[in-house]
């Protein structure tokens, strides 16, 4: 593994990279979020009416351009015509990595099974306004049910694009307010997919937030930041990363008026491991701030 990391670091930054395997998560020392650190999220317009859809997530399926069928879950917002956020998972996990984050952003009082890792323990998540609720779509990249078997960057790129297209067709969502968020391979999928669908429809994606991208799906992250910025209006791209990671160079090389980056240095954290209350500031708080920024509030 050590030799592999040296090799990947020496590779050209624009070449496809292999995402790192997650290291064990330490849950000791998790503290409650201070009451003064409440997040502020965009409020849904009062003109919207309550959704007729129940809060429980529903299983959905859709196909990528090559015919590959993908399994997903749709978490309906509490109000009609709310934005829809597509959450893309990391390697080697699946869509269930995002379950508690999905319930948090859906904000309809639901919770799932917690297994002790920080991003599946909502007890420390920032509170949201009671009238704030988002539609959420999660999905599992091809051949990643349970865990990803091996890297499939070309196929995963198709999956990311397909998820953003499909999100616009979900019942009671606002098809012109689709936002992409991802970690690791999903971090690249979020921005790569957003840039790709915008080439077809200028209203297809509002922006992308990436936790630990690394050019894992092929396209260059800095180039995708430029691509999002070239739209009218420019689409925001945010990168959150641990500066001790070898692949963090893709974030530090990116720039543009539409671009924001923030780094931490706490033991080579990657992807979902950034979602922990042990960092200062708490990276999870950047998600509602990003949504507020993207939606123009």
């Amino acid at each position: 593994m050590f030799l592999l990391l040296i090799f990947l670091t020496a590779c050209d930054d624009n070449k496809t990279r292999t995402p790192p395997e997650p290291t064990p998560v330490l849950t000791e020392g998790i503290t409650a979020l201070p009451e003064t650190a409440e997040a502020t999220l965009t409020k849904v317009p009062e003109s919207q009416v309550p959704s007729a859809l129940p809060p429980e997530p529903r299983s959905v399926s859709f196909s990528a351009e090559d015919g590959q069928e993908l399994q997903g879950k749709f978490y309906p917002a509490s109000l009609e015509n709310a934005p829809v956020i597509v959450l893309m998972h990391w390697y080697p996990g699946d869509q269930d990595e995002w379950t508690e984050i999905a319930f948090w952003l859906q904000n309809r009082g639901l919770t799932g099974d917690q297994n002790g890792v920080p991003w599946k323990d909502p007890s420390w998540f920032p509170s949201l306004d009671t009238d704030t609720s988002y539609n959420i779509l999660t999905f599992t990249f091809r051949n990643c049910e349970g865990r990803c078997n091996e890297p499939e960057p070309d196929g995963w790129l198709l999956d990311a694009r397909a998820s953003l297209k499909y999100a616009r067709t979900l019942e009671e969502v606002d098809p012109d307010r689709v936002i992409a968020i991802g970690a690791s391979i999903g971090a690249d999928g979020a921005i790569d997919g957003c840039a790709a669908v915008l080439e077809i429809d200028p209203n297809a994606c509002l922006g992308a937030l990436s936790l630990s991208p690394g050019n894992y799906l092929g396209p260059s992250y800095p180039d995708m930041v430029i691509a999002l910025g070239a739209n009218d209006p420019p689409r925001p791209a945010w990168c959150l990363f641990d500066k001790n990671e070898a692949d963090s160079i893709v974030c530090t090389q990116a720039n543009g008026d539409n671009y924001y980056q923030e780094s931490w240095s706490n033991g080579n954290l990657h992807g979902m491991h950034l979602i922990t209350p042990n960092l200062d500031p708490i990276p999870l708080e950047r998600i509602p701030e990003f949504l507020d920024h993207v939606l123009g509030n």
Side-chain angles (χ1 to χ4, degrees):
M1 178 61 74
F2 179 73
L3 293 177
L4 177 60
L5 289 174
I6 293 177
F7 172 76
L8 289 175
T9 303
C11 287
D12 184 89
D13 294 329
N14 292 332
K15 292 183 178 179
T16 302
R17 299 170 180 267
T18 301
E21 290 275 354
T23 54
V25 180
L26 298 178
T27 58
E28 297 180 359
I30 301 297
T31 57
L33 187 71
E35 294 183 0
T36 56
E38 183 174 343
T40 301
L41 257 157
T42 303
K43 293 185 178 181
V44 181
E46 295 180 358
S47 59
Q48 292 187 340
V49 298
S51 170
L53 302 178
E56 290 76 18
R58 57 183 62 186
S59 296
V60 297
S61 62
F62 56 97
S63 296
E65 295 176 19
D66 62 352
Q68 174 69 47
E69 186 177 30
L70 304 169
Q71 302 303 315
K73 293 179 182 178
F74 172 44
Y75 302 72
S78 61
L79 299 173
E80 289 185 359
N81 203 38
V84 54
I85 303 168
V86 181
L87 300 176
M88 304 190 192
H89 67 82
W90 68 345
Y91 179 93
D94 61 20
Q95 65 177 325
D96 291 338
E97 300 287 343
W98 284 110
T99 297
E100 289 301 334
I101 306 297
F103 281 135
W104 172 58
L105 293 173
Q106 184 199 31
N107 201 20
R108 299 186 71 176
L110 299 182
T111 187
D113 295 330
Q114 303 162 21
N115 67 358
V117 298
W119 61 91
K120 294 184 179 181
D121 176 11
S123 65
W124 64 272
F125 291 2
S127 60
L128 306 179
D129 292 338
T130 57
D131 57 352
T132 296
S133 181
Y134 291 92
N135 294 293
I136 306 297
L137 173 66
T138 64
F139 72 97
T140 297
F141 286 108
R142 64 185 67 195
N143 297 324
C144 286
E145 293 79 9
R147 65 177 281 127
C148 303
N149 296 316
E150 60 183 24
E152 296 188 43
D154 293 341
W156 292 342
L157 186 58
L158 295 178
D159 300 346
R161 295 172 180 173
S163 69
L164 292 171
K165 293 179 181 179
Y166 176 70
R168 305 185 76 193
T169 71
L170 290 166
E171 188 176 0
E172 294 191 1
V173 309
D174 185 340
D176 292 336
R177 292 196 292 171
V178 178
I179 302 166
I181 298 176
S184 186
I185 61 171
D188 288 299
I191 192 168
D192 297 348
C194 189
V197 296
L198 282 170
E199 292 181 356
I200 302 172
D201 187 328
N203 298 315
C205 181
L206 290 183
L209 183 148
S210 299
L211 290 85
S212 307
N215 298 349
Y216 302 126
L217 306 190
S220 158
Y221 181 81
D223 287 349
M224 294 300 97
V225 171
I226 293 174
L228 262 61
N231 285 272
D232 185 16
R235 300 306 197 272
W238 285 25
C239 184
L240 309 181
F241 63 99
D242 188 319
K243 62 185 178 182
N244 288 329
E245 273 204 290
D247 291 341
S248 66
I249 189 173
V250 305
C251 291
T252 59
Q253 288 181 338
N255 59 78
D257 292 339
N258 64 312
Y259 181 58
Y260 172 81
Q261 63 172 280
E262 187 168 0
S263 64
W264 289 260
S265 179
N266 195 52
N268 199 30
L269 298 178
H270 178 77
M272 302 300 287
H273 287 160
L274 287 169
I275 302 179
T276 170
N278 287 340
L279 301 179
D280 184 21
I282 298 174
L284 186 61
E285 292 184 331
R286 295 298 183 252
I287 292 181
E289 292 172 3
F290 170 74
L291 295 174
D292 194 53
H293 174 69
V294 167
L295 294 169
N297 292 276

